[in-house]
Amino acid sequence: MSQTNTSLLDEVVQWSQETCRQELKAVLPKLTISSLKSEDWDEHMRILKIITDMFLPHIGLSELENECFSKILPKAVRVFDSMMKELSFQVGGLSSQNTELCSLLRNLLQSMMQIIDALSACIRHIGTFEEVPDLVAIRSVPTCILKVLRDTFKHCKESEVVYCGHLSLVADLLQGLFREAYSLQKSLLELLDRISLDSSASEEEEVSDIVTVIHSLLDICLVISNLDMALHANTWKFLIRQSLKYQSLVEEHLRHGDISNNLCDNLLTSFHNSVELAEQIHRAGLQEATQSPEYKLFLKTAKMCRFFANTLIHYIKEFKTFLTKYCGCFHRLYLQVISKFPPSLCAPTFPSTLSQELNVAALVPMDALLFQLLPLRPFTEVVLQQDLRLSPEHELPQCLLLVSVLGQLVSQPEEVLQLWHTGSQFSEETPRLPLYQAIFSSFCRCYAERKMPALLPGVMMKGQAQVNVSLHHHICVRLCASVATLHPLCFPVLERCLVDAVLQPDTQTTLLATDVWCFTARYGTAELCLHHVLLIAQLVKTCTTDSYQLSHLGLLLRRMVFLMTPNHQMELILQFPPSKLENLPVWYHILIRALPNDARHRVEMDIITLTQKTLTDWQNGGYKLGQVDKVNMALPSLLALVRGQTSPDEQCVLSALRIVTQLWLRLCPHQVQTHPVLQCTLQLLLSVSALLVKNMEPQVICKVLVCVDAVVSQKCADQLLLAALEFLSSLGKTFIPPDSQSQILPRLSSLFGALLADRSWLLHQHSLEAFAQFAEITKHEEVISQSLCVEETKTKVVNYLSKTVNGQEDAASRLERLKLEALVIEQHNEKNKGNISPELADDAVADSEPSPKRARQESSTEEEYSRYIQTAGSALKALHALTEAHTSTPPPPWLDSRLQELQILITQISAARPTT
């Protein structure tokens, strides 16, 4: 420090306020120059204190910036920054033994407090003016003070790390430093709230100053997020208030992404902290102790969560046109919050008092957030994107988000409805699904939630208590409500989405789409219902017999026919007459009793007549295997007809019994083992016979059991064995005459025993069910004991009948199992999706009548060789077994000659082979 400066400072400190006022013009420039030139911190601190304490009160508002603030404040900030760096550099050697270093650090902290005190003096002086200052008139003040505040708060926040376990040596000064900074910020924000803009200043200058203040406050918010709740909230309040106060000036210059992203982060942080505190309170049993520190902290944290949620919603409302790039962040925020609430499977469970606080803090604001985002196209593109890949815990929140959108669209203008309902229309658009399709796809991916099941609040009904319902029920009600108010322009999109949902592989999603489709048909006109039924019937004709699409469409068709008017049901008969073989697949899926009496009798007679004609043609053609396909086409509709009958004595039942008896007497067990087409016939016959078993003759039942024995021993396809179990179970309804019991009952016991011992979990479970049904109603109790000769089988049956649970699965284990199942089923469904023909829906509206069934492909020569050799081998083995079983009885005299003829034929076949 120069001698001149020292003498001047020594002289000035002796002056009175009046002398300072008189010498202001002469001395203040010297002091500011000395301050700028000074490299000594103590000298600078002394000069700064003299200026702020003795000369600042005498400077007018119009001269503050140019004469004082612009000269002394930037230097004060630089000195403060250099002190902070020195503090960070020296603190590594701090210890209680190093008193010299401890004294140095304490002196640095005290000097930093003096700088903050000088800055506070600047704020206090500005506040003494009655005139509201312009921002340009004090522009150095907020910029410099905010820089000091950010560094101070950051140092206090990191103090535990910075002081390496020796925080107690300086804790008192750090607390004082924080209090001084806290008070300084409060004064600054109060001042900035009062200031106005200078109309004479350039707009660019004003905008730059305001934006700088807002962004500096944002930087402070990043620092103090975990430091002090009240300080953090007040800083954010002021930031948003200033952004809105000068919205027209600053909206194009603000860092909207940083502001919105930090609001989202703060919301999530406070929300997760609230959830953790609630879990701690619940575990400790303190939910009733509302005066406990833990409960009070929980309330404060939940209040912060609610504050950030409301602030974010307000900010989006005012600046939504500048936030379109950040819709992905808002979408993730929504999913993360919703995933922590029931019915999400990963949501914690809390008492009602804690849950209500969390609901108000985070769950309720999510609806308001969604309302603000609905009109934004980028938000729809994020939510409705085609290949949206989410973590398993976010699948249900995504589904609930889509359902919430559905409910909120009712109050939206037409352009917003089109945006959500129609999906992307042009190639240049970002691909997005229609909302209905997205809901069905999302529901399909909620496999674990459907199985647990996840429960949601049902719709409030007048005079009834609100109950929890399944996810299916919840979505179905809201989909139907949406359909009831749907804009006519969106109806074609709904129809396409329903068709897609019915034709996808997941059965439960199909059931949901079927429910919505039936509501649409009931709510709409009778003509609409007719149109849809005719469309579905045409799709049924187009499907192949082994496709899951046929099963789904058949279910839909069966329900839709109930909703038709009698006249329109007659129209269906005219459009798809059951007298034509190609239309029988349609009638297989229709419950005949849903039709009026006249129409029902006509359909029954047509089906019986056509089935009998098909059987007669097959007989007249020599029972050729190539004609069995036509028989198989007729049998399903015969099955549908029999299922719809209430009395076993009705004429159509007797006619069906006659047809079935003819087929059973013609069926050869060994041929069934060899030819898949006959196995299909057998499966259908077993299903029909299970309904007609009371009227069947014992010799026919015996023939059925022989055929079943042949396929059980051969381990045929599961669906055939399931049909066999259905028939075996139905035998409990009938009494076998004594003269036939020796032929039927032992074979029945043997079949039950074999099927109950099967290792396939599917067959084993169905075997238990079938055996239990048989045992419950049969009069032949000896079959029960004879079927359980094996002790292991007997134990399993007893456990099943007594409903013994082998192992209790806890909720966590079940959830993990369901997640693994979901992956397997998803892969299976994805593979099945490739089986649907892209022309399927187009075929439904084509003018030309499609082929009722794909043309039968001719087998290759090698396959024919294999089939005939297998047939011959099976016949010879059966003949060999017959001769061994009847050694006491001589064979017929013609057997030797016939065997010699076969030997000659085999020699001729061998000789006719081409040489290789």
Side-chain angles (χ1 to χ4, degrees), residues 566 569-570 573 578 587 592 595-606:
Q569 289 176 334
M570 289 300 300
I573 297 173
W587 294 100
I592 307 299
L595 303 174
N597 287 335
D598 293 343
R600 179 164 57 87
H601 291 316
R602 174 179 171 179
V603 171
E604 289 172 351
M605 291 305 300
D606 284 350

Side-chain angles (χ1 to χ4, degrees), residues 72 108 134 195 217 258 260 272 285 305 338 353 364 389 407 449 467 475 489 510 610 663 736 799 890:
I72 67 169
L108 282 173
D134 296 324
I195 64 172
L217 287 169
D258 291 340
S260 60
H272 288 147
C305 177
I338 298 299
T353 52
V364 173
R389 294 295 175 185
E449 288 79 5
V467 296
I475 296 177
L489 292 175
T510 295
L610 181 59
L663 285 169
I736 307 299
N799 289 340

Side-chain angles (χ1 to χ4, degrees), residues 406-452:
L406 200 63
Q408 293 195 18
L409 283 179
V410 177
S411 59
Q412 294 295 322
E414 183 179 327
E415 57 269 19
V416 178
L417 293 177
Q418 296 269 14
L419 183 65
W420 283 93
H421 278 305
T422 59
S424 52
Q425 302 291 305
F426 307 101
S427 57
E428 58 269 20
E429 290 185 82
T430 301
R432 68 182 191 279
L433 298 173
L435 177 59
Y436 289 120
Q437 185 178 348
I439 290 175
F440 286 124
S441 299
S442 181
F443 176 77
C444 180
R445 291 191 293 270
C446 295
Y447 175 80
E449 288 79 5
R450 284 153 31 191
K451 301 292 277 187
M452 284 296 284

Side-chain angles (χ1 to χ4, degrees), residues 242-444:
Q242 292 295 299
S243 300
L244 298 178
K245 182 178 179 180
Y246 304 109
Q247 181 173 357
S248 60
L249 294 175
V250 302
E251 60 184 4
E252 295 183 357
H253 304 278
L254 292 179
R255 289 157 33 196
H256 293 290
D258 291 340
I259 294 174
S260 60
N261 287 338
N262 278 287
L263 282 172
C264 290
D265 292 342
N266 285 320
L267 194 165
L268 282 175
T269 300
S270 57
F271 174 64
H272 288 147
N273 289 341
S274 299
V275 172
E276 290 177 6
L277 287 168
E279 289 179 316
Q280 293 172 14
I281 292 172
H282 182 45
R283 285 196 297 269
L286 299 175
Q287 54 267 22
E288 302 300 330
T290 56
Q291 299 303 314
S292 66
E294 293 85 356
Y295 196 88
K296 290 181 178 179
L297 179 59
F298 165 74
L299 292 179
K300 288 181 180 179
T301 310
K303 185 177 180 180
M304 286 294 290
C305 177
R306 183 167 66 252
F307 163 75
F308 282 118
N310 293 333
T311 303
L312 175 64
I313 293 166
H314 193 192
Y315 193 80
I316 292 174
K317 178 182 178 182
E318 299 297 335
F319 296 100
K320 63 177 58 177
T321 55
F322 299 93
L323 296 172
T324 54
K325 294 188 293 185
Y326 313 108
C327 289
C329 176
F330 304 143
H331 179 228
R332 289 190 296 273
L333 168 70
Y334 188 99
L335 299 183
Q336 287 178 282
V337 170
I338 298 299
S339 68
K340 294 300 180 181
F341 288 95
S344 179
L345 300 181
C346 61
T349 304
F350 302 123
S352 59
T353 52
L354 301 177
S355 296
Q356 289 171 5
E357 291 290 342
L358 287 173
N359 287 347
V360 173
L363 188 60
V364 173
M366 288 300 105
D367 281 339
L369 173 68
L370 190 59
F371 184 80
Q372 296 299 329
L373 296 171
L374 279 183
L376 301 183
R377 175 179 288 268
F379 184 68
T380 67
E381 291 170 350
V382 169
V383 174
L384 300 177
Q385 57 184 293
Q386 291 181 341
D387 297 316
L388 185 60
R389 294 295 175 185
L390 298 172
S391 58
E393 61 269 19
H394 287 166
E395 292 291 2
L396 179 61
Q398 169 71 7
C399 188
L400 298 178
L401 184 157
L402 295 169
V403 174
S404 296
V405 168
L406 200 63
Q408 293 195 18
L409 283 179
V410 177
S411 59
Q412 294 295 322
E414 183 179 327
E415 57 269 19
V416 178
L417 293 177
Q418 296 269 14
L419 183 65
W420 283 93
H421 278 305
T422 59
S424 52
Q425 302 291 305
F426 307 101
S427 57
E428 58 269 20
E429 290 185 82
T430 301
R432 68 182 191 279
L433 298 173
L435 177 59
Y436 289 120
Q437 185 178 348
I439 290 175
F440 286 124
S441 299
S442 181
F443 176 77
C444 180

Side-chain angles (χ1 to χ4, degrees), residues 625 670-680 867-868 871:
L625 285 175
H670 300 301
Q671 286 183 322
V672 169
Q673 288 180 319
T674 307
H675 301 287
V677 67
L678 290 179
Q679 292 178 11
C680 179
R867 186 170 70 249
Y868 291 130
T871 302

Side-chain angles (χ1 to χ4, degrees), residues 150 153-154 157-158 214-227 232 235-236 239 255 257-263 265-266 308:
R150 186 183 69 82
F153 290 139
K154 183 178 181 182
K157 182 178 181 179
E158 299 172 350
I214 293 173
H215 288 165
S216 298
L217 287 169
L218 177 62
D219 294 338
I220 289 177
C221 286
L222 297 177
V223 173
I224 63 177
S225 58
N226 296 321
L227 195 58
H232 194 203
T235 307
W236 268 111
L239 187 157
R255 289 157 33 196
D258 291 340
I259 294 174
S260 60
N261 287 338
N262 278 287
L263 282 172
D265 292 342
N266 285 320
F308 282 118

Side-chain angles (χ1 to χ4, degrees), residues 759 761 764-765 768 792-810:
R759 296 299 177 183
W761 67 268
H764 179 67
Q765 179 63 28
L768 289 172
E792 181 183 1
T793 301
K794 182 178 180 180
T795 302
K796 290 178 179 179
V797 172
V798 171
N799 289 340
Y800 174 79
L801 294 175
S802 59
K803 299 182 180 180
T804 303
V805 179
N806 293 329
Q808 193 67 34
E809 188 179 37
D810 58 44

